[in-house]
Structures are given as C-alpha cells and as structure tokens.
Amino acid sequence: MSHSSSTTADGIHSSAVMTPAKVCSNGDAPSTQNDDCRHHRYSRHASNTTFSRQATLPRLPIPTLEETLEKFPAAVSALLSSHDGEKNSNGESASNTRETKEMKECRKEIEKFLAVDGPPLQTLLLEYEQKGREDGTLGSYVEEFWTEAYLAPDQSVVLNLNPFFVLEDGPDTNKSKDQSCRAASLCFSAIKLASALKSERLVPDSFRGKALCMDQFRALFGACRVPELFEKDTVAVDPDSTHVVVLENNQMYFFQALWPDGTVAVNEQDIYEILTAIKADASKVAPEISSRNALGVLTTLPRREWANARDIIKNKSVHNKAALEIIDGALFVLVIDDVTPKDIHEAAANMLHGTYNLRSEENFIDYQAGSCCNRWYDKLQVIVCNDGRAGINFEHSAIDGHTALRFVSDIFADNIVSFAQSITKTIYPDEDIFPPLINADIRRATGANTHFTMPRKLNLELPQSILDKIYYAETALSDQIVSSDTVVLEFAEYGKTLIVRNRMSPDSFVQLSMLLAYYRLYGKIVCQYEPVLTKSFYHGRTEAMRTATKYAAAFCKTWCDPSATANEKLNALRVATQHHSAGVKLASQGKGVDRHLFALKCIAEKNGIATPDFFSSNAYKKLNHTILSTSNCGNPSLRLFGFGPVVPDGFGIGYIIRDTGLQYSISSKHRQTKRYAHTLQQTLCDIGKLLEPLSAVTVACDMIEENRASTSSKQPIEFLEDYHDLFGESKASSSSNDESIEKSLSSYTPLSGSALARVLHRKSSFTAQKLRSFGETIQAPQDGRDKK
C-alpha cells in the first residue's frame, strides 16, 4: 500500500478569516483569571503530547516457532472432541476415542510443520520485520497482514465488521431527551476533540503507568474506508479535514467546524442552529422520495459492487466527484435518525444496522422508511435518535474498540463537565471549579464570517442505474436485518464486586459463563474468541485468547453432571478462570498462538510460497471457526456495545462488567438468540447461588480470629480485570520485564514521519474557500434561537 506524508493545510490565511474574539473550550469568553484556555491538564507538560511516548514503546515480539507450536495443542484440545456422550461399538466414550485420534493427527501436523514448512517461514517473517524496522515502514510484524484481513474481504461491512456503542443518557435531563440538543452537545465535544488531536494536546493513553500506543488516533478523524475495484480497500485519511457531514432523512449536508489551523469555529449553540436549519430543510422531502435517493445505503453493498457504483457516480460529473471527496474527508458523520426505539433491544439493533420499517404508498409501491438507509458505514458515525438516545457505529479496519471508546468516553465526559460548569458558574462566577476536559481553542465565526459555518446540502446527479442500485442495496440490507437478531441481557443480580469477593477474575468469570450457557443449550464445546489488547507495544493491536481450554471444557461437563457437588462445580469454575486469566496475561505480552501463526501463513502468501498443509488441517480450521465471538467493553459512558457474528452459525457477544451487574448484547443470524440469552441468564443465576455473598458488617469477638481473617484477605488475587472497557481489545499488562524493554528500546527505529502501513494519507483538494462555495446553502428558520 502506498503512502504520502501529510502536508500543510492549503487555504485562506488565518488573518483573513479568524477575526472573532477568542473564547475558551466551552464556547464562553475567558475570565480575567485565565485568558488562555490552553493552560490546563492537557498541556501541562510537553512530554505529555499525544504522540510523545511512541518512541518509548517496545516492539511487538515475534515468538519462536517452538514456543507457539508448543501451545497449539492446548488451544485446540477441547475442540477436537465431541461432548455429547456418544458410545462406540466397544461401549467406550466416542468423544475420548475421537479426541485421541484427532489429537494424534494434530501432533503429526505440528511435527511436520516444525521440521519442514515452519522454519523457512519463521526466517522470512524475522527478515520481513527487521527490514520494516530498519527502513521505518513497519510498526509490527503482524500489522500489515492484520489490516489486510479487514480490508481484503468483499463482503458488506454491516453486521460483519462495524461495531456499535449505545451511550448512557446525557447528564442534563432537558438536553438528553431533545434530539437536536443532544446531537449538538455530542457534536461540539467531538469537534473539540478533533481540534485537540490536531494540535497533539490529547493526553496519551496509559494503563497502570504503562504507555499505550496512540498510532490509531491518526486515523480517528477525517478517515474513510474507500472501496477499490481491483484491489483491497484502502483507508484514506485527510489530516487537514475541517468539516462535519450530517445525515438526515437520507439526505447529506455538511458544515465547517474548524478553521484551517484546527481552531474550533462553532460552539454548541451554533451547532444547534445548524441542525435546526438542516432538519427544516430535510423535512421538505417526503420519506418515500428520500429513500429512493439514499446514497448512504450503497456503503452496505459488497465492496466490489460499491466500488463499481462509486466509479459510475464519480464519472457522471465533476460535481459528483467533489461531493464524494467532501464526504470521504469529513471529520465524522453525524446521523440524525427519525426513530424512537421502543426498547433497549431495538436501540442496540438501530446502532448496529438501523431499523427496518417497510411502508407502502397508495399505488402499492413500497419504500424503506427505517433508519437502515440513513447511514455512511465507511466512516465514524455519531447517531442520535428522536428521543435523544445516542450511539456510535464505527469503521473497524483502521481503529480498534479501545480507540473508539476513548473517543466516546472523552466526548461523554466533556458533556458532563459542561453541565457541571453550567451549575457551578452561578455559585462560583470567578472560579474555574471544573476546568475543561478537552483542550481546544474556539474562535466563533461571527459577523462577516458567519458564512464560513453555514450548512450546505450535497445534491448529487444520480443516473437511473445508480437509483436502481440504491433500491437493490436496500433490499439486500433488509434481508440481512430481518434474518438477524439482537437481544440485550441486562443482568442485575450481581457483578464485578461479588465476583472479586469470591476471588475470581470478572472477565474470566463472564467468559466461562458464556461457554457454559452454550454447552447447556447445545451440549457442545465450541470455539470462543476473546481479543486481548497489545497496545503496550509499538503499533500493537490485539492477540487472541481462546476460552475453550480443556479446563473450561471440564468445568462445563462438571457443572452439567447431576452427580457433581456444589463444591466440585465451584472448584472447577475456579480452576478454569485461573487458567483463562493466565492465558490472557500471556496474550497481552504478545505470547499468544493466533497472531504468530496467522503472520506465518501470510508471509508464505506474500512470498508466493504454497500454503503449508498445517493451515488446512482440521485443528487449525476448528480454531478459526469462531462460534462465540466475544469482547469485553465498558465504562460509565456506555450502556451497551456489540457487533455481529463472525461466522454464519455463530454469535457476536459484546459485554460490559459493572460493579453490580453485567450487560450483554447478543447477535446472531438464524439462531435462537433470545433462547441463548435466557440460558445465559439462568446460568448466571445458578452460579450466583454457589458464590459467597457479599459480607455485611461483622462483629470482631476474637482478636486471633480477626487477625486470621485479615491475613487471609490480603492474599493477592492474580488476574487482570481493571482494563475491561474495550471492544475487541480487552486486556493490557506489562509487556515484558524492564531489562527486555530497555533492550528493545535500544534497537528502536521510529517510522519515518506519520506514514502508516495501514492507511493512505490523502490531502483534500478542497480549500476552505472552495468548501464554502460548494453545495446549496441552508438557511436557519426565522423562529430559531438567536445566536449569542
């Protein structure tokens, strides 16, 4: 993939357009005590700039071939047996017989790969990583291959790739229930975050004092997945992006949000008025008309079909080509949905794929009135419903869930801080009780410059062939929606606090509960995947934890054994969680099985070498057919998150671990999603009956016994459970000991500039002046709020 370094913004000089008075990041004028709104926590130390710690990160290690293959049997042993209790002709357990035979075959494949095919591929992989390190074009040995795994498939990204978040309600009850107010509030915070990132004043991520890689933040704003006709998709990033695209009633608008130097050009009130004007204009077009011109639904097509349609649109006119460039280069897309979810299940489904609502006109011609067409799935989307309920749907190839969660957490927290400021400023008018969370300078476009931020409508010239393609894209998407289920389980009986009280890892506990629920429902141990964060390494992303270990299988069988005692069941659970936690720790250190084997397979393809038989073995195939695709995500800003299944017969399960509850979003195609959720709820209740309840106040009568209790409670609990707030990336830990980190740093070679192996930095041909003259200007209605 080719790259070009970012260049300086091209447009009108700041002195010509940046005349308004400077204001602080909440949009108000600065107080005399602090007339420079840059002086707070985001810029206290030069060493705390967004990318300042990248050079301190160690490289992701490449395990030895022996290390990985030694772990492979443990990763697949539970999958190479059936657990249905069948008997063979000798009366022996059929599962045991098959396990022995399949494991023997597995070991033969391992021995052959280790002796013949593996060593040359390992050498090629080491040389590939070393060359990439020396010439500064490669961040990690698996980065290029893993990104291609996202960008190469021809399938639709909807339900197959893009995850979603459902946010908690906003802190201000008046705003949080009003669609335009909530949208303006979230949009304003997101724009400030984009400004802070452009000036590299966004505080870098860390975990337990360890710096985490911030590379993906380069592709958070102004990024777009672009389909290609004869190649893999690319992720194009415009580092000079300054505008926001708004989708309402299947129509597209945009407005300038930043000045060319990255300073914020609008405040929350300005955005509210912009959205009010857009809503008034969008309502002029009847839904049955707008649905036939819903350009965004084309992003749900298989990628080559979308690439072909996109070329037709671009070749139709220069205007069309420019309009698509404006959409691609937007900071993000703000989606205004004409939907009020009737329950939490529908809210989750709306954020995942939109709603299905087929209506008919008087002439019996049907049209799609649901929100499923009101999307642009190739970009980061902030979605707001009629009742103010909000969420995120994001393109997943360039950024992982940890990066998306940071985005959501910061804008949600900024809303809270703004609300707190609105309260305290009436009590402490001369004190900055709550400093701004996001550091961004604001110079509102006022007076002669108000035209700079006026909303404009994108009207494209669409030939009949594209209008037909829009209709067929909608019907294909509707098929996917009606054949999919999304069910939410909000379990409130207990959560992290009780699990920790019983000396188990909350994440491992939840992982085992999902596997047990499946076993209780179907009597089978299946492949279960949990991604583990490796961002403590330079350009690290994830490693896989495979939950279905032999200890997990033993736990499931023990639990379902009528003769097993409560203590035996609980002990089996403890053993399984301990081994799961140990596996997570290894994965977080880059010592898993999946990524290394995947890279070896890819390096063979890259060098034109025939794929070794090992990768077509039954064991490897079973390891990569993920029935239960799971991920751990959560902090107080989120109510839910989720994603679709990764195989047709699988489940996609996103979960959030709270102190007193567990949240699950479960999706599948043609499977009993509701029944599985019910079985999972029953499983959690049954396990809860065996757990030691939370202690209330006790009376200490015997000093000796009290000391014994105190000593016992101080024994360390070995698990990683604090970093459970991610989609796709669930754990982080010390990457290695200090000595190995220092050794890695001594040989570190940074990438040249900001060129990334996974994104193509494209500079937009649009200057600020050109943007202001493109599209149809939308005027605010006369009864809108007065601009302050």
Side-chain angles (χ1 to χ4, degrees), residues 164 352 485-487 643-645 650-653 665-669 673:
F164 74 89
L352 176 60
D485 285 325
T486 300
V487 177
F643 46 91
F651 290 93
I653 309 174
S665 178
I666 309 168
S667 298
S668 80
K669 300 175 182 179
T673 316

Side-chain angles (χ1 to χ4, degrees), residues 149-161:
Y150 282 108
L151 295 176
D154 188 35
Q155 62 187 2
S156 170
V157 298
V158 184
L159 283 165
N160 296 309
L161 184 64

Side-chain angles (χ1 to χ4, degrees), residues 100-134:
T100 301
K101 180 181 177 181
E102 290 192 337
M103 282 307 300
K104 283 182 178 179
E105 292 176 354
C106 175
R107 291 193 179 94
K108 286 181 182 179
E109 292 289 349
I110 291 172
E111 290 172 2
K112 177 184 175 184
F113 188 67
L114 184 58
V116 181
D117 299 320
L121 297 182
Q122 178 77 356
T123 300
L124 286 172
L125 185 62
L126 290 169
E127 292 173 350
Y128 164 78
E129 199 273 344
Q130 182 63 33
K131 184 179 184 302
R133 178 194 301 226
E134 290 173 353

Side-chain angles (χ1 to χ4, degrees), residues 46-68:
S47 62
N48 215 30
T49 57
T50 304
F51 304 106
S52 61
R53 300 157 105 183
Q54 291 295 97
T56 70
L57 298 173
R59 304 280 296 198
L60 183 67
I62 301 178
T64 67
L65 192 60
E66 292 76 11
E67 285 175 331
T68 297

Side-chain angles (χ1 to χ4, degrees), residues 13-188:
H13 292 294
S14 59
S15 58
V17 295
M18 298 181 190
T19 55
K22 184 180 184 180
V23 296
C24 286
S25 61
N26 60 0
D28 298 328
S31 66
T32 55
Q33 282 77 12
N34 181 13
D35 60 354
D36 188 347
C37 52
R38 293 174 295 178
H39 293 307
H40 50 77
R41 73 181 186 91
Y42 275 85
S43 56
R44 271 183 196 150
H45 307 290
S47 62
N48 215 30
T49 57
T50 304
F51 304 106
S52 61
R53 300 157 105 183
Q54 291 295 97
T56 70
L57 298 173
R59 304 280 296 198
L60 183 67
I62 301 178
T64 67
L65 192 60
E66 292 76 11
E67 285 175 331
T68 297
L69 293 178
E70 184 180 350
K71 296 170 187 171
F72 186 76
V76 299
S77 62
L79 304 177
L80 298 182
S81 305
S82 69
H83 302 272
D84 51 17
E86 294 177 0
K87 303 289 184 179
N88 63 18
S89 58
N90 297 323
E92 298 172 328
S93 170
S95 63
N96 290 337
T97 303
R98 283 199 297 272
E99 179 180 12
T100 301
K101 180 181 177 181
E102 290 192 337
M103 282 307 300
K104 283 182 178 179
E105 292 176 354
C106 175
R107 291 193 179 94
K108 286 181 182 179
E109 292 289 349
I110 291 172
E111 290 172 2
K112 177 184 175 184
F113 188 67
L114 184 58
V116 181
D117 299 320
L121 297 182
Q122 178 77 356
T123 300
L124 286 172
L125 185 62
L126 290 169
E127 292 173 350
Y128 164 78
E129 199 273 344
Q130 182 63 33
K131 184 179 184 302
R133 178 194 301 226
E134 290 173 353
D135 60 24
T137 58
L138 194 65
S140 79
Y141 75 90
V142 75
E143 178 180 25
E144 178 186 357
F145 305 135
W146 195 244
T147 303
E148 286 185 352
Y150 282 108
L151 295 176
D154 188 35
Q155 62 187 2
S156 170
V157 298
V158 184
L159 283 165
N160 296 309
L161 184 64
N162 285 27
F164 74 89
F165 295 148
V166 175
L167 277 64
E168 291 283 8
D169 292 340
D172 187 334
T173 55
N174 292 324
K175 284 184 179 180
S176 65
K177 301 301 181 183
D178 182 284
Q179 183 179 37
S180 295
C181 285
R182 185 83 194 277
S185 182
L186 291 170
C187 185
F188 180 48

